[in-house]
Amino acid sequence: MADTREESEPLLNRARGGSGRDCPRGVPTCSNVQEGPGAMARRDLCLDQAVVLIEDAIQYRSINHRMDARSLWLHRRYYSSTSQWILSFTIFLILALAFVETPSSLTRTSDVRYRPDPWEAPCGLTEGIEALCLLVFVADVSVKSYLIGWAQFRRNPWLLAYLVVLVVSLLDWVVSLSLVCQEPLRVRRLLRPFFLMQNSSMMKKTLKCIRRSLPEMASVGLLLAVHLCLFTVFGMLLFTGEKDAGQDRERLTYFFNLPEALTTLLVLLTTANNPDVMIPVYSRNRAYAIFFIAYTLIGSLFLMNLMTAIIYNQFRGYLMMSLQTSLLRRRLGTRAAYKVLSSVTAEGEAHPERLGVKPEDFLKVLQKVQLDSDHKQAITEKLHSRSGGLLSADEFQKLFDEFDKRVIKEHPPRPQYQSPFLRNTQFVFGHHYFDYLGNLMALGNLVTICVFLVLDAHVLPKDRDDFVLGILNCIFILYYLLEMLLKVFSLGLRGYLSYPSNVFDGLLTIVLLVLEISTLAVYGFPHRGWKPAMLGLLSLWDMTRLVNVLIVFRFLRIIPSMKVCVQVRRVTALLLSQLMSLVASTILDLIKNMRAFGGILVVIYYVFAIIGISLFRGVVVAPRNSSLASDNGSAPCGSFEQLEYWPNNFDDFAAALVTLWDVMIVNNWQVFLDAFRRYAGPWSEVYFVLWWLVSSVIWVNLFLALILENFLHKWDRRSHLQPLTEEREDTSEMTEELPFRDVLEEPTEEELVEKLSRHPHLQLCR
C-alpha cells in the first residue's frame, strides 16, 4: 500500500480563478518546497502527475485516482500498451474457449447427418487456461480498486459487478473440477462477456444509452403487442373454416389455436411468411386480403418504423450526453495538468496567480507522455510557433486540440533526376491521372472475369478452356507489375511505401505475380484446349480461380480514390463525386466506430449461444435416428427437413452462432420456430422471439441509428463546405473514442474548476 502521508499531501497551492480549498499550514505542496533535499523529488512528482493527467485526457479516462508517486508508477504500468494488450488478449482467449470446450466446434461441418465425433479437450486443459485468465482479471480488478481508492470503488457499480462476476466464476470453476468436468451447466460461461464490456468505456456508454432508451421502446412495444393480439383475435374469428374450404385450410395451417395464430402474425410482422399466410383464403375470396394488408400496413410499415424513429431519437440524445462526459474528462485532465505545471512555475514567485506553465516544463512532460510521435511533433511545432513567455490556460488547452486533428504525414521527397527525359517520365507516371489509368485497367480486368463467368456458367470446371482468360490475366498482371515499377521510379521506394494504397497494390501484385509464375511453371503456357491434369496441390482451375479472387480483391483500390477533388481556393467537385466520397467516408467512419456496437453484438450473440446450447443441444437429430425427423422426400414443402437446414442447430458454439445469425436475418425464421417447436417443445418459441427482439428489433435499429446519424452529420457538414483554408474537416477526424466531436459543447470554466475542487485525491489550495 502507498504511504498514507504521500496520499494525503495536497498537490497544488493555487486554483485558477481563486477557487478551491485553503491549504493547512505545514502541509507540503508542489510549490511551497523551494529548497532542501526534497525539492527536486517534489518537482519530479509534479511532472509525473502532469504526465499521468495528460495521458488520462488523451484516453478519455477519469482522473479520480491516487496521485502519490507509487500509485502514479503503478498507474502508468497498468495503462501501458503491453499491459493493455495482455488484458485484451486474455479477454479474447477466455471468450474463444467456447469453441474448444465441450461441446467442441472442431469439426469440418455442423450438419447432424455428416458431423463426425469432435475432438474433446481433456478435463483440466481448458480449465487451466481459464484459471490463468481469471487470475489476470483478479489482478486487473485489484489494481483498479487500489488506484481509485476504496471510497470510489464502493460507488462504482461496474467494479462491484466485476468483483461479483469473478467470485461466481471462481466458485463455478471449483465446482467443475470437483465434478471432473461433468457438470450439466457452467454458469461462468454466461458471465464471460462481462469481461469484454467492463473493459470498454464506449461499450458501457452504449449499454447505458440502451438501458435509458428502453422505456420509450417499451411504449412502442406495447402498441405492437396490442396490435398483434387484436388481429390475432380477429383472425381466429374470421377463419373459422365452417363454410369455406379455404378458410378451413387457413385455420388448420395458421390459426388452429391461439399460440399458433400469435406466432403466425408475429412472423408476418417481419414479412418472412408473406404472402404464404394469405394465399389459402385469398384464393377463395379476394376481400380477405384487406385483413393481411391492414395488419402489415399498421404493424410493419408504421409501428416498426416508429420504433426505429424512437430508438434513433432517444439513443442519439443519450449517446451525445455520454460523449459529452468523455469530452469533459479530456478537458479536466488537461486543466488538472495545467494546474500542476503552473504550481511548479510558482515556486519562489511573489505573484503566482499571474503565472502559467513554462514551455520547457511542458516539453519535459510531453516527452514522457505515451503518445505517437506524429502528434508529439505537431504539438511541439505549435508550441515553438508561438511567441515566448509562459503558457496561459487557454494556450495550454489549444495545444491539446491537436489530439482531435488528423496528422497529415509529409511524404518523402521524390528522387531528383538530371536527365530531362527522366524528369518528364517521372512527371507523367507520378501524376494522379496515372492512378486513374490504373483504376480503369483494374475495372477492365474485373469486367473480363465477369464476362467469362457468364459465358462458362453452364460448363463444368473440368471442361472449361481457360486459354483466353489465362492470356488476359497474364497481360493484366504484367501491367500491374509495370505500374508498380513506374510508381517506384517516380516516387522513390520510400515515397511509394508511404502511401497505404500503394502498399496494398504492391503486395497483391507480388502475390499475383508469384501465382502466375507458379501456374506457368507447373502447367506451361496457355494454349488452345489448355486442360492439363491436376499437378501438385491445386488444379489449373483452382489456380485460375485464386488469381481471379485476388484480382477482384485488388479492385478495392478504387475506394480511396472516391474523394472530393479540391483546388487551392475553391471546391470543384461535382455532385456525384461528393456523394460517392460521402458514402465512402461514412463506411470508413462506421468501421472505425463500430468497436462499441460490434462489442455489444458479440455479447448478445455469446450469451444467447450459450443459452441455446444449454436448451437445445442434441434436439435436432439426423433423419435416420429419429421418428420426428422425416426424410427429405416425405417432408412438407418449406419445412426444416425439406429445406435441409440440418447444419442449423445448437450442438456446438460455432453452429449456434450461425443459427442465431440466420434467425436474426428473419428470412424463413418461421421454419426454425416450427422445427424447434416440434423437436424441443412449444416453449422454444420464447427463446427465438426474445432473440428476434434483442437482435433484429433493438440492435439492428441501433445500428441503423448510428448509420443515419453518421451520414446526416457528414451531409450537414458537406452542405456547409468551405474553402480548403477554412475547412476544419480536412484537419480533424472523428476518432474511435469520441465520434461526433465537432457537435459537442465545450465545458465552461466554472464547471471545470468545480469538478477539480471535488477531486478525491487532488487538493486545490488558494
Side-chain angles (χ1 to χ4, degrees):
M1 294 295 291
D3 189 353
T4 57
R5 179 176 179 272
E6 286 183 345
E7 180 57 31
S8 63
E9 289 173 353
L11 306 179
L12 309 176
N13 78 325
R14 191 166 300 273
R16 188 176 185 271
S19 62
R21 296 186 289 268
D22 291 330
C23 287
R25 290 187 178 182
V27 179
T29 65
C30 289
S31 61
N32 60 13
V33 181
Q34 302 175 12
E35 54 182 297
M40 187 58 65
R42 176 58 59 184
R43 176 183 174 84
D44 293 339
L45 174 61
C46 292
L47 295 180
D48 290 339
Q49 290 166 354
V51 170
V52 170
L53 290 169
I54 291 175
E55 290 176 347
D56 290 340
I58 295 173
Q59 301 298 330
Y60 300 98
R61 294 194 296 255
S62 172
I63 64 173
N64 295 332
H65 52 76
R66 297 176 186 265
M67 290 292 184
D68 59 272
R70 194 174 304 173
S71 298
L72 293 176
W73 179 87
L74 180 61
H75 186 280
R76 296 203 71 198
R77 296 303 178 273
Y78 173 76
Y79 285 108
S80 64
S81 57
T82 302
S83 299
Q84 292 303 303
W85 183 89
I86 292 175
L87 182 59
S88 299
F89 177 76
T90 303
I91 295 172
F92 167 79
L93 185 61
I94 198 170
L95 292 177
L97 285 178
F99 290 98
V100 295
E101 290 176 327
T102 304
S104 173
S105 303
L106 302 180
T107 56
R108 183 177 181 180
T109 178
S110 62
D111 194 316
V112 295
R113 298 170 299 177
Y114 316 120
R115 184 174 187 260
D117 294 333
W119 175 84
E120 299 290 351
C123 181
L125 177 60
T126 58
E127 286 74 16
I129 298 174
E130 188 176 13
L132 294 177
C133 295
L134 292 177
L135 289 177
V136 173
F137 296 139
V138 169
D140 179 49
V141 72
S142 301
V143 172
K144 284 182 176 178
S145 60
Y146 168 76
L147 289 177
I148 67 173
W150 174 246
Q152 294 291 319
F153 177 79
R154 289 181 300 174
R155 294 196 294 267
N156 192 317
W158 280 100
L159 288 182
L160 291 175
Y162 196 0
L163 185 60
V164 172
V165 168
L166 280 175
V167 171
V168 174
S169 298
L170 289 171
L171 292 176
D172 191 62
W173 181 83
V174 172
V175 172
S176 294
L177 289 185
S178 62
L179 296 178
V180 199
C181 307
Q182 298 300 319
E183 74 280 13
L185 177 64
R186 296 185 180 183
V187 179
R188 64 186 185 277
R189 297 181 72 181
L190 288 172
L191 303 178
R192 287 174 184 170
F194 179 84
F195 302 128
L196 176 65
M197 288 192 299
Q198 65 83 29
N199 195 49
S200 171
S201 60
M202 197 61 197
M203 282 184 63
K204 295 176 185 177
K205 292 181 176 63
T206 305
L207 195 64
K208 185 177 181 180
C209 295
I210 294 174
R211 179 175 58 84
R212 291 187 174 182
S213 302
L214 285 178
E216 288 75 14
M217 288 188 281
S219 63
V220 181
L222 182 60
L223 288 177
L224 279 172
V226 172
H227 170 70
L228 178 63
C229 292
L230 287 178
F231 273 83
T232 299
V233 175
F234 291 156
M236 295 190 70
L237 293 175
L238 284 174
F239 311 125
T240 59
E242 295 179 356
K243 300 180 180 179
D244 190 276
Q247 287 186 2
D248 190 58
R249 181 183 169 193
E250 183 79 21
R251 180 183 66 84
L252 293 176
T253 307
Y254 301 109
F255 291 89
F256 183 71
N257 52 41
L258 184 62
E260 286 193 10
L262 282 172
T263 303
T264 296
L265 292 183
L266 178 64
V267 174
L268 183 59
L269 199 63
T270 64
T271 68
N273 58 353
N274 184 68
D276 299 355
V277 67
M278 182 179 67
I279 293 301
V281 290
Y282 178 63
S283 62
R284 298 287 179 174
N285 191 334
R286 68 180 68 201
Y288 284 113
I290 299 175
F291 171 84
F292 296 99
I293 292 174
Y295 175 81
T296 305
L297 187 66
I298 297 173
S300 300
L301 302 183
F302 178 71
L303 291 179
M304 292 300 291
N305 288 325
L306 181 62
M307 173 78 78
T308 301
I310 288 178
I311 290 177
Y312 169 72
N313 184 61
Q314 296 296 327
F315 180 76
R316 178 181 182 271
Y318 288 124
L319 181 62
M320 288 301 173
M321 288 195 308
S322 297
L323 298 178
Q324 192 71 49
T325 303
S326 295
L327 180 61
L328 177 61
R329 284 185 173 184
R330 168 164 286 187
R331 296 297 181 252
L332 280 175
T334 53
R335 178 54 59 89
Y338 172 79
K339 297 288 188 181
V340 171
L341 292 177
S342 62
S343 68
V344 175
T345 307
E347 294 183 7
E349 296 292 340
H351 302 284
E353 69 275 3
R354 300 177 182 174
L355 298 179
V357 175
K358 294 180 180 178
E360 54 269 24
D361 289 339
F362 175 75
L363 289 176
K364 289 181 182 179
V365 170
L366 185 63
Q367 295 305 315
K368 295 182 180 181
V369 171
Q370 295 180 3
L371 183 65
D372 60 274
S373 58
D374 295 327
H375 280 93
K376 280 187 178 180
Q377 182 179 358
I379 294 174
T380 303
E381 291 176 354
K382 189 171 183 179
L383 178 64
H384 290 159
S385 64
R386 60 179 293 275
S387 57
L390 300 177
L391 290 169
S392 65
D394 293 336
E395 291 175 325
F396 190 85
Q397 178 59 58
K398 289 179 180 179
L399 289 176
F400 290 97
D401 289 341
E402 298 297 324
F403 293 148
D404 297 323
K405 295 182 180 180
R406 178 174 57 244
V407 177
I408 302 176
K409 297 182 180 180
E410 294 186 1
H411 298 286
R414 297 188 177 190
Q416 299 294 327
Y417 297 105
Q418 300 298 327
S419 170
F421 173 76
L422 293 180
R423 288 199 300 270
N424 292 332
T425 304
Q426 181 186 32
F427 173 78
V428 171
F429 295 111
H431 200 274
H432 62 271
Y433 284 156
F434 187 60
D435 292 333
Y436 296 158
L437 177 62
N439 292 338
L440 184 62
M441 294 294 291
L443 177 62
N445 197 354
L446 183 63
V447 169
T448 59
I449 293 175
C450 294
V451 168
F452 279 94
L453 287 176
V454 173
L455 295 177
D456 295 338
H458 301 289
V459 182
L460 295 176
K462 62 183 182 65
D463 298 328
R464 293 181 181 179
D465 188 352
D466 295 319
F467 167 67
V468 177
L469 184 59
I471 292 294
L472 291 176
N473 280 344
C474 287
I475 294 174
F476 280 112
I477 291 174
L478 288 177
Y479 173 81
Y480 298 152
L481 177 63
L482 179 63
E483 179 189 23
M484 181 182 68
L485 295 177
L486 289 174
K487 285 187 176 181
V488 172
F489 164 78
S490 302
L491 305 175
L493 182 60
R494 293 180 59 236
Y496 178 83
L497 296 177
S498 65
Y499 293 88
S501 59
N502 288 342
V503 176
F504 177 79
D505 284 349
L507 288 176
L508 285 180
T509 300
I510 293 174
V511 173
L512 286 171
L513 184 64
V514 171
L515 282 175
E516 191 67 23
I517 293 175
S518 302
T519 303
L520 297 179
V522 174
Y523 295 104
F525 288 92
H527 53 80
R528 289 290 181 185
W530 194 34
K531 304 175 184 177
M534 178 177 175
L535 300 174
L537 297 177
L538 299 175
S539 65
L540 175 62
W541 166 244
D542 292 332
M543 296 284 284
T544 304
R545 185 169 56 175
L546 182 57
V547 169
N548 291 337
V549 168
L550 292 177
I551 290 174
V552 173
F553 187 64
R554 188 181 182 275
F555 185 70
L556 296 177
R557 60 174 280 169
I558 69 169
I559 293 179
S561 301
M562 295 181 180
K563 298 179 180 179
V564 180
C565 302
V566 182
Q567 289 184 349
V568 176
R569 291 191 177 181
R570 62 189 181 91
V571 178
T572 60
L574 298 175
L575 179 60
L576 180 60
S577 299
Q578 291 182 354
L579 290 174
M580 292 178 65
S581 174
L582 187 62
V583 172
S585 61
T586 301
I587 294 175
L588 293 177
D589 280 340
L590 282 174
I591 295 174
K592 294 178 183 178
N593 295 285
M594 269 300 295
R595 187 173 181 178
F597 288 85
I600 296 294
L601 186 63
V602 169
V603 168
I604 62 175
Y605 260 94
Y606 201 99
V607 171
F608 271 86
I610 296 299
I611 295 175
I613 292 172
S614 302
L615 296 178
F616 308 120
R617 179 188 175 190
V619 299
V620 177
V621 293
R624 61 179 180 274
N625 297 331
S626 174
S627 59
L628 294 176
S630 306
D631 293 334
N632 185 42
S634 61
C637 182
S639 64
F640 186 90
E641 295 81 8
Q642 190 270 332
L643 295 172
E644 297 189 345
Y645 281 4
W646 302 110
N648 292 287
N649 53 66
F650 291 88
D651 290 350
D652 58 70
F653 187 74
L657 294 178
V658 176
T659 303
L660 290 175
W661 172 264
D662 292 338
V663 176
M664 188 182 77
I665 302 303
V666 299
N667 182 32
N668 274 354
W669 74 299
Q670 74 276 8
V671 176
F672 295 91
L673 291 174
D674 173 69
F676 281 90
R677 181 177 66 248
R678 290 186 284 108
Y679 287 124
W683 51 266
S684 62
E685 294 182 351
V686 177
Y687 171 85
F688 289 101
V689 171
L690 286 176
W691 169 247
W692 168 73
L693 287 173
V694 173
S695 61
S696 297
V697 177
I698 297 179
W699 188 88
V700 170
N701 279 315
L702 287 175
F703 182 58
L704 181 60
L706 177 67
I707 294 177
L708 286 174
E709 180 59 24
N710 199 331
F711 182 83
L712 294 176
H713 173 62
K714 285 183 172 293
W715 181 265
D716 183 64
R717 292 198 305 179
R718 183 78 61 181
S719 62
H720 297 89
L721 192 63
Q722 299 296 326
L724 181 62
T725 56
E726 301 176 4
E727 179 58 52
R728 174 177 173 141
E729 185 184 359
D730 292 338
T731 58
S732 65
E733 67 175 353
M734 185 169 62
T735 63
E736 180 180 340
E737 295 84 4
L738 200 65
F740 316 120
R741 165 66 187 85
D742 54 353
V743 298
L744 300 178
E745 295 181 0
E746 287 289 336
T748 62
E749 177 72 16
E750 293 75 13
E751 185 179 7
L752 293 176
V753 172
E754 191 270 336
K755 292 283 186 182
L756 287 177
S757 66
R758 293 191 288 108
H759 192 288
H761 305 283
L762 188 64
Q763 296 187 16
L764 301 180
C765 311
R766 60 184 175 190

